[in-house]
Amino acid sequence: MDDALTRLAQLTRVHPRLDLLCRFADSWALPHDPEPDGAAPFHIVSRGSCTLELPDQRRSLALVAGDVVVLPHGARHTMRSDTALPHHAGPIVLTESHNGAVTVRTNADGQDASCEVICGHFRFEQARSNPLLAALPDALHLAAGRDAALARLGLLVEAVRAELQEARPGAASIAANLASALFTMIIRAHMDQANELRGILALLGNPTTGRAVVRMLEEPARPWTLEELADASHTSRAGLVRAFRKQADVAPLGLLAQLRFQAAAQLLTSTELPVSEVGVRVGYQAEEAFSRAFKRHFGVAPSEFRHAAI
């Protein structure tokens, strides 16, 4: 499963961006509007505690130092102190400065900050057809400080904080790369902790369907038949189809097509390979057939897709 997760993370093409280092004192609240498709805000609590409210879901999450929360689908939310602002309170006064690595936002005004939060975004390529993104819930909350199994996640959080705090040369680049690794660790922890998985993560978590998905990820260009995938999964063709439908409401060969197009999109945007070679690498021997199928999936021809990404 770990190798499959590595490949899936590579196909997902996540670009982290660290926006703010927020330092707060007293009572405070900051609302965040919904994000566009493909933009997933995240918050890392590096000191103190706070609350994340999800008004559309009518729930809130209590966060403490070491916790990470990601909103994969850009949900509207509010970050606030544990004690809510009085109804008559006006907007909080914030000052901003850049420390050489990140913008620092604060209302402390010379006071010691009781809460510190690192805020950023993960940007997903091809968000509308991304099987990993589709499998994620509205909110991913990892309580690194409360679970010994997530000790390494806590160390990574502290490393990000230290880079932004010290603001030494190269700190912004180092912190962003650490955040990219953090995303994969968050997905792995979600698979370990979640009571219920969905989509491709549910398929990977099931022994029968997981074998088939691993084989697809290992050899996306192979002309897989349903019978070959069923044999690899130690089940019948009908059994494999039923298992895929039950776990993720998708057909095995339908998922294979999604993974192939995800791989093709990655090759088009990250290499200069000819369109014909990209097609071969994802299982299409004829360029014309690949271009037609790609356009049906993404709405544009491969060459247009590549040009738009430049």
Side-chain angles (χ1 to χ4, degrees):
M1 182 186 72
D2 289 342
D3 287 343
L5 183 57
T6 296
R7 179 61 180 149
L8 193 55
Q10 291 169 343
L11 287 178
T12 298
R13 302 276 289 171
V14 179
H15 303 278
R17 186 184 76 211
L18 294 166
D19 300 320
L20 296 166
L21 175 60
C22 296
R23 295 176 176 144
F24 297 115
D26 304 322
S27 295
W28 55 274
L30 288 177
H32 295 70
D33 292 330
E35 298 282 353
D37 288 346
F42 65 85
H43 302 282
I44 302 170
V45 182
S46 52
R47 181 190 301 168
S49 62
C50 59
T51 298
L52 183 146
E53 292 182 343
L54 294 161
D56 296 333
Q57 301 174 37
R58 297 183 180 180
R59 67 186 181 111
S60 61
L61 303 172
L63 309 176
V64 299
D67 284 12
V68 181
V69 63
V70 184
L71 304 171
H73 308 293
R76 180 168 68 102
H77 63 288
T78 295
M79 294 289 290
R80 66 167 177 82
S81 55
D82 295 326
T83 303
L85 282 169
H87 291 296
H88 63 272
I92 63 173
V93 178
L94 297 168
T95 61
E96 290 188 359
S97 60
H98 201 279
N99 70 355
V102 69
T103 297
V104 180
R105 176 183 287 176
T106 184
N107 72 335
D109 193 24
Q111 307 175 57
D112 288 335
S114 57
C115 180
E116 186 175 87
V117 184
I118 299 166
C119 303
H121 286 79
F122 292 119
R123 182 175 66 82
F124 297 87
E125 295 184 7
Q126 297 89 52
R128 287 183 299 173
S129 58
N130 189 311
L132 176 56
L133 184 57
L136 298 178
D138 289 330
L140 280 171
H141 176 205
L142 280 301
R146 296 174 230 166
D147 190 333
L150 295 177
R152 274 179 286 185
L153 182 62
L155 292 174
L156 193 56
V157 166
E158 180 53 34
V160 172
R161 178 186 182 276
E163 289 295 333
L164 297 180
Q165 177 78 29
E166 296 171 14
R168 298 176 63 191
S173 176
I174 292 169
N177 282 309
L178 290 172
S180 184
L182 182 65
F183 174 76
T184 305
M185 292 184 73
I186 289 169
I187 300 303
R188 184 173 66 184
H190 170 64
M191 292 185 71
D192 290 340
Q193 290 186 348
N195 293 326
E196 183 178 353
L197 297 171
R198 66 188 190 190
I200 196 168
L201 297 182
L203 294 171
L204 283 173
N206 178 278
T208 299
T209 56
R211 295 187 191 99
V213 175
V214 167
R215 298 303 297 274
M216 294 178 195
L217 289 167
E218 288 174 344
E219 300 180 86
R222 180 171 170 172
W224 290 105
T225 65
L226 188 57
E227 185 171 10
E228 288 174 326
L229 290 171
D231 287 345
S233 304
H234 311 308
T235 187
S236 66
R237 288 182 298 176
L240 186 65
V241 171
R242 282 196 299 270
F244 265 71
R245 287 294 184 190
K246 180 179 179 181
Q247 294 294 326
D249 194 25
V250 66
L253 296 183
L255 177 66
L256 176 61
Q258 290 181 37
L259 295 176
R260 283 175 168 171
F261 289 124
Q262 202 72 25
Q266 180 189 20
L267 289 169
L268 287 168
T269 57
S270 63
T271 75
E272 296 181 0
L273 290 171
V275 169
S276 59
E277 177 61 21
V278 171
V280 169
R281 294 196 180 195
V282 298
Y284 288 84
Q285 300 306 312
E287 180 179 346
E288 186 178 348
F290 168 63
S291 295
R292 284 199 306 268
F294 189 94
K295 187 170 183 177
R296 282 197 302 270
H297 188 78
F298 284 110
V300 295
S303 56
E304 295 177 76
F305 185 93
R306 170 176 274 168
H307 181 74
I310 296 175

